[in-house]
Amino acid sequence: MLLGAVIFAAVWCLIALLLRHYPETMAGYNTMPKQKREKIDIHKLGRFVSSAMFAGVPSALLAPLMPSEGLYVLLLCWIPCGMLVAAAIYVNVRIKKFEKQ
């Protein structure tokens, strides 16, 4: 269980780092019309989503310490993915915050 949690956390961190350095790979960005893409500060958006992904890593690393499998799955999978979904909702609600000045 410990090895699985460490591998999950490492892969999650790797994806977050790649997203931070290559934010144009975010889902939906390349399919946007060009005039919309020019309005969005993609680097600021990439840093925000990457930070939200990093926020879920500690719960994944604490997962092997849980006594039940239900808590293990909650901490390993649902909380990191929930942080990512919460970040996506925040971005969609506050899209003006991620527009270029």
Side-chain angles (χ1 to χ4, degrees):
M1 283 181 25
L2 177 63
L3 182 63
V6 170
I7 290 172
F8 177 84
V11 170
W12 196 256
C13 285
L14 180 65
I15 292 169
L17 282 173
L18 287 172
L19 185 60
R20 184 167 288 208
H21 292 290
Y22 302 105
E24 59 276 354
T25 60
M26 261 190 281
Y29 180 72
N30 290 326
T31 60
M32 262 187 219
K34 187 170 175 72
Q35 60 269 23
K36 273 190 167 182
R37 275 190 269 171
E38 291 172 352
K39 292 180 184 177
I40 294 177
D41 186 0
I42 191 67
H43 295 291
K44 185 176 181 181
L45 182 61
R47 284 190 312 268
F48 176 76
V49 174
S50 176
S51 297
M53 288 181 74
F54 279 123
V57 171
S59 71
L61 292 175
L62 289 175
L65 301 176
M66 295 300 112
S68 70
E69 190 167 330
L71 287 173
Y72 174 79
V73 171
L74 175 74
L75 286 176
L76 184 65
C77 298
W78 291 106
I79 290 180
C81 292
M83 297 291 278
L84 189 57
V85 168
I89 291 170
Y90 181 81
V91 166
N92 283 314
V93 170
R94 302 282 185 165
I95 192 66
K96 298 261 187 226
K97 185 175 181 177
F98 299 100
E99 289 182 353
K100 289 182 180 175
Q101 300 292 326

